Amino acid sequence: MSGSNGTDESPHEHDDARTENVGSTAESAREAEGASAPTERFEAVDPHREVTEPQAGSATDQKADVEAPQPEAAEAPEASGAAEPQVDEPKTEDTAAPQAPAEVRAESAAQAAPTSMEQAAPTSTEQVAPTGADGPPTENVHPSEAPTAVIPVVAPGNRAPGDGSSVDTDRLLRSQGEQNPAQSGPAQSGPEQPGAPVPPTSTAMPSAARPPQGDQPTQQMQAGPPQGPPPVTPPPPGGPGGSGGDGDEPGKPGSNLPRRTIALVVGGVVALLAVFYVADLALSSGKVPRGVTVAGVEIGGMSLDAAEAELTEQLTPRLDMPVDVTAGDTQGQIVPSEAGIGIDWPATLDQVGSQPLNPFTRLASFFGNDEVGVVSTRDEVALSAAIEKAAAAAAHEPREGNIVFEDGTPVPVTPQPGQQLDVAVAGDVFAERWPYGDVSLPVESVDVTVTREGLDRALAEVAVPAVAQDLVVRGLDGAVGVLPRDAVGAVLSFVPDGSGGLEPQYDTEAAIGILAPQLAPSETEPKDARIVLDGGRPTIVPSETGEMVDWPVTLERLPDLLKEEGDRSTDAVYKKAEPELTTEGAEKLGIKEVVSEFTTSGFEYASGVNIRLAAQEINGAIVKPGETFSFNDYTGPRGAAEGYIESGIIEAGRPGKAVGGGISQLATTLYNATYFAGMEDVEHTEHSYYISRYPAAREATIYDGAIDLKFRNPFDTGVLIQTIGTSSDITVRIWGTKTVDVQSITGNRTNFTSPNTITLPAGSACIPSSGAQGFTVTDTRIVTDARTGAQISNATRTVRYDPVPIVKCISPEPEPSDEPSGGGDDATSGGADSEDAPAPAPESPAAEAPAAGGPEKE
């Protein structure tokens, strides 16, 4: 507050004199003591108002000291005759001066505290420390000698009855005056009677009309017997602004000023922020919100046109730049434009949004960024294709934990989870994240079932002990079989057990493959019964029972043997081995007579060598009831290693030569023998063109691994194949039990075709030929019961033969005769064995010839 308190010379601003509040401005005892209740609004009384002055005969000016009672003193004091407590303070010498009425005292107290409008806030009350007329407030004085304290003046309308206001005080004084006869009449100050009751002393500010003297002690006002508690020392002055109040402890300085200051500061700050908010909103209107970024490009505060131009300049080149793509443990690159990615500019700018109205949002925009991203256009086909490439590179199957053996040492294979990529989800992620230059595609992990603990356990408990030493199997007659420790890996392997571990697997067949050859000398192989033609009659050679190692029983303890720490040896277990064809079985086959026979001839030397070698392979073959015989399977490979030599074939539709040529003549002979024995035709193929030494529509070609001859034995008895070869012919006989008769009927030749001419350079590769016509012919087989003559079957087969080409070899040598060979044994002028050549494609299904270019060997 400006100015000093308690003098008429104090400067005051806007003093407000209100005469209507006289009599209600005395402060309550609670407020005088600085109670914690909020201070009510006060209104200053005009100091120039005319008031009742003390008696002129007073030696000094009387001070109206009104002691502010404690909160309990708000109640009416009880009449008491007790002596007033003595207060050690100087008394005025003039005791004859009458006391001023209570109303006047209260008014003078109100007048003694003029307050400026600046300091008289509506919600606060200030107490002004009394000062001397010419100096600062007195310090360090006894409470009884303290200057008169200021009693805040409270408006009547703001007080409840009985709250210690001046009205209550006046009523109390009048009541005391009525109870004390010595002070009847107007409340005037009088001489102090020795021993008379002294009322509690109240402190009051000196009247504005008469300012207090600097060292004059406070007067006591007697109002009858003591009422209430003894006098209370007034609180010390607050400070420049007044005494403490409004909840502060008495004597604590300057509590009102900080509150008011804080309120003013806060109000000012709020007003300033409001002004700033309005100005910022006005300045940013129509622009991109502050702090907005698109794919890292800052466009906050720009106009929409400028923002679009900036984004176009910054983001368009990124469409053609490779983007690093990570998918699990794989990496690659994708070019967005090649993956069908573009930028949807209208949608991207729509994401920018408008200026926010929320003040907190606007304030936060000064301290951070708001990334809104890019809206992409997408070609689903191109995007899927690009992501599928990444998915193919990223996907890999899980690798289960395992144990492998390297040079007899077990090596653990660490389990590794697999991963796969969801193409649809990955496409969405790439379309959203490509502008940032690095995209991590989500992958789905494919777990493995084998744990590291399970792998280590199998390694320590099974694999390592298994290779500790060799395994020995002891056989008969001192034979020994050894499974070396470095070969255990061929026998022992591991598979997941479904519980995180590995289960050992033991390959018994692999162990037998290693051990059986070593124990073979201790075994006796069984021998099948044989049927030999001795003296032109079938004779049975009895079968023999063998003794072989029972390997499943012998290796039954293989898992335990591979774990033993000591001697790893066991004895081989043997068992009887019966032959496949016993003596009794051979007798039941019924092979006792020749049921059919067929002979062909006309081959040259090289073909004869090959024919006789193959005939020896099939000689004595037995076909049991229901079995199927295969020429290629029975003879096996027919190459130079087996003794076969080069001979004539048909290759590319014309005569040629190859190793094993001429075998087709043996195939044709065997086919006819089984034909008349009543065997069931399973598979056979005619030559591509007709060879005169074979029966038309009843012949067969053969080629190792490509063209086969197969038949099935349909009877309840077996058959035996006998071959008889000479230097000029080959005969095949079928032995068994004759039950049927077979008749062949060959049809007429029709549909003749003329040959074409081929000209080749003269040399060993050119075999000249006069050619022959092609034609179509049929064969009908009729099968009847040998005992009754009843017909069993009747089947017709139609064959179409291609014409034999005319081959001319151009050379100085005389050209061969153009005269066709006709019905001779040779189909070509090159020799009788040259019919074995690859067959061209048949011109009709009935021909059943081999494919074009396929070789036909005899």
Side-chain angles (χ1 to χ4, degrees), residues 488-643:
V488 169
V491 177
L492 176 61
S493 60
F494 296 87
V495 295
D497 62 3
S499 301
L502 287 173
E503 179 181 356
Q505 300 286 314
Y506 299 91
D507 188 348
T508 304
E509 293 300 324
I512 294 174
I514 297 173
L515 295 170
Q518 301 177 59
L519 294 182
S522 67
E523 296 179 309
T524 301
E525 292 284 348
K527 295 181 179 180
D528 290 340
R530 294 180 299 119
I531 300 176
V532 296
L533 298 175
D534 186 10
R537 300 291 301 176
T539 302
I540 297 176
V541 177
S543 63
E544 295 181 6
T545 302
E547 189 175 28
M548 308 292 292
V549 176
D550 189 348
W551 287 110
V553 176
T554 301
L555 298 178
E556 193 173 40
R557 295 182 56 248
L558 181 62
D560 295 332
L561 290 171
L562 292 178
K563 293 180 181 179
E564 290 184 359
E565 297 181 358
D567 180 28
R568 292 187 180 178
S569 62
T570 186
D571 293 330
V573 178
Y574 290 81
K575 67 176 182 179
K576 298 295 182 179
E578 297 294 334
E580 293 184 8
L581 180 60
T582 64
T583 304
E584 295 77 13
E587 293 174 349
K588 292 179 180 179
L589 289 178
I591 299 175
K592 58 185 179 180
E593 58 185 333
V594 175
V595 295
S596 69
E597 179 179 341
F598 197 81
T599 302
T600 60
S601 59
F603 49 81
E604 50 92 33
Y605 170 78
S607 295
V609 172
N610 294 334
I611 291 172
R612 286 187 292 269
L613 283 175
Q616 292 175 6
E617 294 290 336
I618 66 174
N619 184 47
I622 295 177
V623 183
K624 297 178 182 179
E627 279 188 345
T628 298
F629 176 88
S630 167
F631 189 97
N632 285 339
D633 290 346
Y634 208 92
T635 61
R638 299 183 296 270
E642 288 75 28

Side-chain angles (χ1 to χ4, degrees), residues 248-535:
D248 292 336
E249 296 179 2
K252 184 177 291 185
S255 61
N256 284 335
L257 182 59
R259 287 192 176 188
R260 186 168 56 256
T261 302
I262 291 174
L264 292 174
V265 170
V266 171
V269 170
V270 171
L272 181 62
L273 290 176
V275 172
F276 176 78
Y277 169 80
V278 174
D280 181 60
L281 186 61
L283 292 175
S284 62
S285 178
K287 298 181 179 179
V288 176
R290 188 183 299 106
V292 171
T293 62
V294 177
V297 179
E298 297 183 0
I299 58 172
M302 296 183 180
S303 66
L304 291 179
D305 292 341
E308 183 176 2
E310 178 69 13
L311 292 177
T312 302
E313 180 181 357
Q314 296 290 335
L315 298 183
T316 300
R318 299 186 191 180
L319 290 169
D320 298 322
M321 299 172 61
V323 175
D324 293 332
V325 176
T326 303
D329 55 6
T330 61
Q331 294 180 341
Q333 289 185 331
I334 296 177
V335 178
S337 59
E338 296 178 358
I341 296 295
I343 300 177
D344 188 342
W345 292 111
T348 299
L349 293 175
D350 287 345
Q351 289 190 149
V352 170
S354 58
Q355 289 291 330
L357 299 179
N358 189 319
F360 296 103
T361 303
R362 299 188 69 84
L363 180 62
S365 66
F366 284 97
F367 306 101
N369 293 330
D370 181 16
E371 171 62 41
V372 299
V374 173
V375 179
S376 301
T377 61
R378 42 199 285 182
D379 182 341
E380 295 296 341
V381 175
L383 180 59
S384 296
I387 297 299
E388 284 175 357
K389 291 182 180 179
H396 59 75
E397 295 296 326
R399 184 182 67 190
E400 288 288 0
N402 200 358
I403 298 174
V404 298
F405 294 87
E406 297 179 359
D407 298 329
T409 301
V411 178
V413 178
T414 305
Q416 179 180 356
Q419 67 179 24
Q420 57 187 8
L421 192 65
D422 189 324
V423 175
V425 175
D428 293 340
V429 173
F430 182 81
E432 178 182 355
R433 299 296 303 171
W434 69 267
Y436 303 96
D438 188 1
V439 179
S440 179
L441 301 180
V443 295
E444 298 177 359
S445 179
V446 182
D447 294 333
V448 294
T449 60
V450 178
T451 64
R452 182 68 196 191
E453 293 76 10
L455 175 63
D456 293 341
R457 183 168 57 253
L459 182 67
E461 297 179 0
V462 181
V464 172
V467 297
Q469 53 185 316
D470 297 340
L471 172 65
V472 178
V473 179
R474 296 185 296 265
L476 298 175
D477 303 326
V480 175
V482 178
L483 176 63
R485 55 182 299 274
D486 58 2
V488 169
V491 177
L492 176 61
S493 60
F494 296 87
V495 295
D497 62 3
S499 301
L502 287 173
E503 179 181 356
Q505 300 286 314
Y506 299 91
D507 188 348
T508 304
E509 293 300 324
I512 294 174
I514 297 173
L515 295 170
Q518 301 177 59
L519 294 182
S522 67
E523 296 179 309
T524 301
E525 292 284 348
K527 295 181 179 180
D528 290 340
R530 294 180 299 119
I531 300 176
V532 296
L533 298 175
D534 186 10

Side-chain angles (χ1 to χ4, degrees), residues 753-767:
T753 56
S754 300
N756 61 341
T757 301
I758 300 175
T759 302
L760 298 173
S764 60
C766 181
I767 301 176

Side-chain angles (χ1 to χ4, degrees), residues 30-73:
R30 183 180 308 167
E31 292 171 342
E33 292 178 359
S36 62
T39 305
E40 302 292 344
R41 173 178 177 176
F42 70 87
E43 298 177 356
V45 181
D46 188 355
H48 301 290
R49 179 181 176 180
E50 184 176 345
V51 298
T52 304
E53 297 291 343
Q55 296 292 331
S58 301
T60 60
D61 293 335
Q62 297 292 330
K63 296 180 181 178
D65 297 338
V66 180
E67 179 69 16
Q70 297 293 332
E72 293 83 356

